[in-house]
Amino acid sequence: MEKEKYSIIITLLCLCMAMGGCSKEEVAADTATGTLTLQLQLPPALTVEVGESKGRAVSLADQIKNVWAVQYSEDGTFRKAQYISGANNIGKHNNSDYLVKVTTGGFFNENSRFYILVNTGNNSLITDQGITEENLKKLTVDLTDGISKDAEPNFLTAGPVAFKQLGEEGVNGEGVKAVITAPLSRTYAALQFSYNSNNPEKGKFEATSLSLFNLPTKLAVHTVGSSNINDFNTAGQEIKGSGWNGGLLNPVYIGENLRGFGSGKTFQEKNLPAKGPNKSLDKCTYAVLTGTYYYRTGVDASDSYTYTTNGITVSYKFYLGGSLLDDYNIIRNTLYTVTINIGGANSADIRLTVTNGNVSYFDEVEEVQPEYEVIL
């Protein structure tokens, strides 16, 4: 018997993390007769404070503008793709801040898997002739200059999401109903920076700029395609100029950049090309903090430190990644918080906290705090 096609209602679902939102891909019963519903769980906020259980990404739900839904059979054969956009097709469900309903149709009730692409902004990304599953994973969207400073890029994906064929009920398949729940993931990472001038008895540091270099200008649909990205902004992007007092900056967002692991054993060695992935630091993302260092000259009448009028220009360069020793990978859906403790004109202690955006609680984060100095 020819397999029936069923309309699909894609529901973008942002669950309250305190209520224990579903994080597994699953199929469950729905009350709508003869429909297939995709519920996409929005990722929690990356910048939630440590120990808090909040994380409903309401802002992401508000910004769902377009959706691609793509279906493949179990053997990888392309079955159906549909692009959905516009206020008539995408809107909040019953004025909810957490549900967005997207109406589609024409997908197949058969053992298969789905991929969901949110906010590609490109209705011709997939042709009517279809696309192989391998090539779908390698699709990209542009990230201008390799960085987003003011807002999240909001290019989200889910998949592969397994769907099992449901038995027909009633006449001509009427009554067949199902729900597929799939967690969305960001295709980009977030970075936050702060610095401290730790030894005022020796001198003080004032930042003049913080810039990022080797930034991918493409966001890939799937992680396996990210290492193949060759479009980079190597000139660098300034994310903060003079007047920064060292406080934690608002996050900036960059593309996933999977460069691999090096062989360094110390912080200093991570900056050496010979210790980089495949003995090269090409395309590895790094940051440069530049500023003026003023040496202490004494104390004034109120016992406050006094410093030289004219300071010297200093720069601290460090490669980003999952550790400060040998990991050069910038992984999607992850927040990297970097604290730079200025010890002197020729030294700094860099601290790194890595938080994976797939978790609800951030009490147990990985902290890398080596006791190494950056020698310029």
Side-chain angles (χ1 to χ4, degrees):
M1 178 183 296
E2 181 181 356
K3 296 183 176 63
E4 299 288 342
K5 295 185 178 181
Y6 297 93
S7 64
I8 293 183
I9 297 175
I10 301 176
T11 304
L12 304 179
L13 173 61
C14 183
L15 296 174
C16 176
M17 303 309 297
M19 296 175 62
C22 176
S23 61
K24 294 182 178 180
E25 300 164 356
E26 61 182 32
V27 177
D30 185 27
T31 57
T33 302
T35 64
L36 181 66
T37 300
L38 293 180
Q39 288 187 148
L40 303 189
Q41 179 182 336
L42 291 170
L46 280 173
T47 54
V48 65
E49 293 184 6
V50 173
E52 290 194 0
S53 61
K54 297 177 182 179
R56 294 181 293 181
V58 179
S59 61
L60 290 178
D62 289 338
Q63 297 176 42
I64 302 300
K65 303 302 181 184
N66 50 80
V67 175
W68 273 104
V70 188
Q71 183 182 26
Y72 293 92
S73 62
E74 281 190 324
D75 64 4
T77 301
F78 172 81
R79 296 295 280 148
K80 169 78 176 178
Q82 187 170 4
Y83 180 80
I84 311 98
S85 65
N88 292 333
N89 297 316
I90 301 176
K92 289 184 178 180
H93 177 58
N94 295 331
N95 296 319
S96 168
D97 287 335
Y98 313 112
L99 296 174
V100 178
K101 183 174 286 187
V102 184
T103 304
T104 76
F107 291 87
F108 294 86
N109 176 29
E110 65 181 50
N111 290 345
S112 55
R113 50 186 173 268
F114 282 85
Y115 290 84
I116 310 299
L117 284 60
V118 174
N119 290 337
T120 68
N122 185 350
N123 62 0
S124 60
L125 190 66
I126 301 171
T127 66
D128 294 337
Q129 290 74 33
I131 185 173
T132 66
E133 192 170 3
E134 180 181 358
N135 287 336
L136 176 77
K137 294 178 180 180
K138 294 180 181 179
L139 288 176
T140 62
V141 301
D142 293 333
L143 179 61
T144 304
D145 296 324
I147 191 170
S148 179
K149 302 177 185 179
D150 301 320
E152 291 195 43
N154 294 337
F155 174 35
L156 310 172
T157 63
V161 182
F163 173 69
K164 297 298 182 182
Q165 179 179 357
L166 299 178
E168 296 182 354
E169 301 177 16
V171 180
N172 296 326
E174 292 182 2
V176 174
K177 43 191 175 291
V179 174
I180 298 178
T181 299
L184 287 170
S185 175
R186 297 170 178 84
T187 58
Y188 47 89
L191 303 175
Q192 282 188 297
F193 295 88
S194 66
Y195 80 85
N196 301 296
S197 189
N198 282 347
N199 299 313
E201 72 280 4
K202 294 182 180 179
K204 68 176 181 179
F205 173 81
E206 293 181 356
T208 54
S209 70
L210 175 66
S211 299
L212 297 175
F213 296 81
N214 285 347
L215 301 174
T217 56
K218 301 286 185 180
L219 299 177
V221 166
H222 204 269
T223 295
V224 296
S226 299
S227 58
N228 297 324
I229 292 178
N230 293 310
D231 298 311
F232 281 77
N233 177 2
T234 59
Q237 284 289 306
E238 183 178 87
I239 61 175
K240 191 63 179 179
S242 59
W244 178 28
N245 63 5
L248 189 65
L249 296 176
N250 290 331
V252 296
Y253 303 93
I254 67 173
E256 182 174 56
N257 189 14
L258 304 179
R259 304 321 315 169
F261 291 84
S263 58
K265 303 299 182 183
T266 67
F267 183 88
Q268 294 94 327
E269 289 185 347
K270 193 176 184 184
N271 281 23
L272 301 177
K275 297 293 184 178
N278 298 316
K279 297 184 177 181
S280 172
L281 296 177
D282 183 42
K283 299 177 183 176
C284 295
T285 300
Y286 66 91
V288 175
L289 173 65
T290 300
T292 304
Y293 190 83
Y294 300 89
Y295 287 99
R296 176 195 164 193
T297 58
V299 295
D300 59 19
S302 62
D303 290 332
S304 297
Y305 294 126
T306 59
Y307 301 96
T308 54
T309 302
N310 297 318
I312 60 173
T313 299
V314 293
S315 291
Y316 305 91
K317 176 182 178 180
F318 46 96
Y319 282 83
L320 302 173
S323 80
L324 296 173
L325 305 180
D326 61 356
D327 186 350
Y328 298 83
N329 294 303
I330 303 295
I331 300 174
R332 66 179 58 201
N333 215 43
T334 300
L335 169 66
Y336 298 86
T337 303
V338 181
T339 302
I340 308 162
N341 297 310
I342 307 298
N346 66 341
S347 66
D349 172 13
I350 313 293
R351 309 275 174 126
L352 173 67
T353 299
V354 180
T355 303
N356 188 305
N358 288 320
V359 299
S360 304
Y361 299 89
F362 301 142
D363 289 315
E364 298 180 0
V365 298
E366 177 187 352
E367 294 187 4
V368 184
Q369 299 182 342
E371 300 176 352
Y372 304 119
E373 292 184 335
V374 182
I375 306 300
L376 299 181

